[in-house]
């Protein structure tokens, strides 16, 4: 990449699972990357291999407080994204989504920078429309245990579009569906990491409910490609745009694929379904195909192989 095309890019939550992969890819494209994280769920281990890169900078900072830097683009990924983590301190989760959005939007307004919000499929709640298109407004319990995340992200979307309408800010909103891959935390409570870690430890695999609820799993490399393509669109493309894999699996089917990939004989056990846990989750990605020329390319079996290898190396199993 020629020097004239180099951009200064801020990634909040950049030491997290998705954020670290995004930082890595942006550096490969020749940009200067400022990674900001308070390490609530992110970890320095995820970006240790980037610290010697002269175009990478790591800053410990909480986005609920203002940040004063000079950048050209902002990817706002800061927020715990798994139920175990975001329910640990629900008030802080909401503040991260809402105050963090206000602070990053204020920074973008001052700099006239383009800004992308990492929103979530959780804005659809427990959906009555399947698969979920961007035009669907969702079905969310505003007072349930998941509301700190669901409603925090919904409010952040509102703020982004109000800044766009009121101040002409160049915004992009991505609604991220279930994503998996290397650098997931083994204790984050997400279904893919839970199943892999339990299988590698020869522990029973825990299914919540009857295991017939569905999810759609997107490999992290595909997701990062979608984020970068969305950021590169013209200013009239704001989103929201669904980013996820439209291939749908039951949780039981995922468990069987994990058992096949790990080669272990863990039994399946059932626990009660958590409150407000969605029964169905599948993205309608027609808009992403049309606007971004994007769709996932990594099949679940291939992505699980990469992810199991990562957890084997991390746990020594």
């Amino acid at each position: 990449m020629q020097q004239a095309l180099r951009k200064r890019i801020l990634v909040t939550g950049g030491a997290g699972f998705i954020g670290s992969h995004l930082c890595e890819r942006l550096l490969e494209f020749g940009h200067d990357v400022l990674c900001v994280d308070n390490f609530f769920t992110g970890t320095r281990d995820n970006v240790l291999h980037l610290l010697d890169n002269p175009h990478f900078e790591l800053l410990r900072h909480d986005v609920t407080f203002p940040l004063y830097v000079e950048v050209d683009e902002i990817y706002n990924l800061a927020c715990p994204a798994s139920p175990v983590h975001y329910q640990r301190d629900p008030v802080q989760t909401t503040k991260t989504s809402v105050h963090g959005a206000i602070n990053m939007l204020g920074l973008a307004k001052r700099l006239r920078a383009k800004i992308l919000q990492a929103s979530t499929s959780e804005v659809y709640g427990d959906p009555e429309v399947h698969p979920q298109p961007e035009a669907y407004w969702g079905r969310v319990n505003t007072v349930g245990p998941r509301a700190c995340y669901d409603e925090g992200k919904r409010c952040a979307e509102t703020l982004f579009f109000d800044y766009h309408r009121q101040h002409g800010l160049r915004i992009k909103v991505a609604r991220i569906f279930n994503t998996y891959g290397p650098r997931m935390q083994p204790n984050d409570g997400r279904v893919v990491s839970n199943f892999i870690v339990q299988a590698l430890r020869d522990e029973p695999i825990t299914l919540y409910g009857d295991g017939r609820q569905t999810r759609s799993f997107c490999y992290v490399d595909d997701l990062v490609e979608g984020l970068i393509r969305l950021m590169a669109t013209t200013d009239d493309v704001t989103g929201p745009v669904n980013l996820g894999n439209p291939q749908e699996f039951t949780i039981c089917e995922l468990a069987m694929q994990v058992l096949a990939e790990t080669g272990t004989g863990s039994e399946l056990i059932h626990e009660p379904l958590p409150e407000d846990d969605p029964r169905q989750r599948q993205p309608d990605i027609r808009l992403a195909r049309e606007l971004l020329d994007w769709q996932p390319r990594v099949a679940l079996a291939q992505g699980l192989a990469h992810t199991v290898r990562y957890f084997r190396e991390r746990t020594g199993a």
Side-chain angles (χ1 to χ4, degrees):
M1 177 173 291
Q2 297 177 354
Q3 184 66 29
L5 299 178
R6 185 184 299 278
K7 296 177 183 174
R8 301 166 299 173
I9 301 178
L10 166 62
V11 180
T12 71
F17 158 49
I18 294 175
S20 61
H21 286 276
L22 177 60
C23 288
E24 197 172 59
R25 187 76 66 86
L26 293 172
L27 287 168
E28 290 173 0
F29 287 157
H31 299 302
D32 291 323
V33 175
L34 172 58
C35 169
V36 168
D37 208 296
N38 69 349
F39 303 117
F40 180 70
T41 58
T43 170
R44 287 176 61 90
D45 290 343
N46 287 340
V47 293
L48 278 180
H49 63 297
L50 304 178
L51 293 180
D52 290 335
N53 189 318
H55 298 291
F56 178 79
E57 183 179 356
L58 176 61
L59 174 65
R60 184 175 192 133
H61 179 82
D62 188 325
V63 296
T64 61
F65 298 94
L67 180 64
Y68 302 99
V69 293
E70 302 296 323
V71 294
D72 303 306
E73 293 180 349
I74 302 168
Y75 289 83
N76 186 38
L77 275 63
C79 190
S82 72
V84 168
H85 289 151
Y86 68 62
Q87 291 175 7
R88 185 186 306 165
D89 189 344
V91 172
Q92 185 63 27
T93 295
T94 303
K95 288 172 67 175
T96 300
S97 288
V98 178
H99 291 184
I102 291 170
N103 286 330
M104 290 306 106
L105 287 163
L107 176 63
K109 178 187 172 187
R110 178 177 71 82
L111 299 174
R112 306 308 299 170
K114 193 188 303 185
I115 181 168
L116 181 147
Q117 167 68 4
S119 191
T120 172
S121 61
E122 299 298 333
V123 301
Y124 298 121
D126 190 4
E128 297 170 304
V129 174
H130 191 75
Q132 294 80 57
E134 291 86 351
Y136 176 52
W137 290 355
R139 178 172 173 263
V140 176
N141 177 4
T142 63
V143 296
R146 300 170 69 101
C148 59
Y149 185 69
D150 302 357
E151 294 289 34
K153 289 289 191 177
R154 285 162 68 97
C155 184
E157 286 195 12
T158 300
L159 286 163
F160 265 68
F161 278 91
D162 282 339
Y163 266 77
H164 172 66
R165 285 184 286 259
Q166 187 171 339
H167 302 296
L169 208 60
R170 294 180 295 158
I171 66 163
K172 312 289 177 182
V173 175
R175 289 180 177 163
I176 298 172
F177 282 68
N178 292 66
T179 303
Y180 71 100
R183 300 183 201 148
M184 297 183 80
Q185 294 286 353
N187 62 345
D188 66 6
R190 300 188 210 197
V191 65
V192 173
S193 50
N194 270 2
F195 284 5
I196 291 174
V197 170
Q198 288 173 336
L200 291 177
R201 292 174 177 169
D202 288 320
E203 297 173 352
I205 288 183
T206 306
L207 280 70
Y208 293 96
D210 58 15
R212 287 184 290 183
Q213 64 270 39
T214 66
R215 296 293 185 270
S216 305
F217 302 101
C218 185
Y219 190 63
V220 64
D221 287 357
D222 284 333
L223 186 278
V224 166
E225 176 69 21
L227 292 174
I228 291 173
R229 288 191 180 209
L230 178 56
M231 180 66 96
T233 54
T234 56
D235 291 350
D236 61 313
V237 177
T238 60
V241 175
N242 288 336
L243 294 178
N245 195 320
Q247 189 170 9
E248 188 178 18
F249 295 89
T250 68
I251 298 303
C252 278
E253 288 172 334
L254 172 67
M256 299 310 296
Q257 289 216 35
V258 168
L259 289 175
E261 184 59 42
T262 58
T264 56
S266 298
E267 64 173 326
L268 304 183
I269 61 173
H270 293 262
E271 296 287 346
L273 194 68
E275 184 179 351
D276 297 331
D277 193 61
R279 296 281 181 171
Q280 295 178 308
R281 188 55 57 74
Q282 181 189 18
D284 181 330
I285 64 165
R286 285 176 291 182
L287 197 58
R289 287 192 177 109
E290 176 187 339
L291 296 178
L292 313 180
D293 190 25
W294 176 90
Q295 64 181 8
R297 302 185 182 279
V298 180
L300 181 60
Q302 181 185 358
L304 283 178
H306 295 315
T307 310
V308 168
R309 188 179 310 118
Y310 167 80
F311 277 109
R312 281 193 193 278
E313 293 171 353
R314 175 163 180 168
T315 63

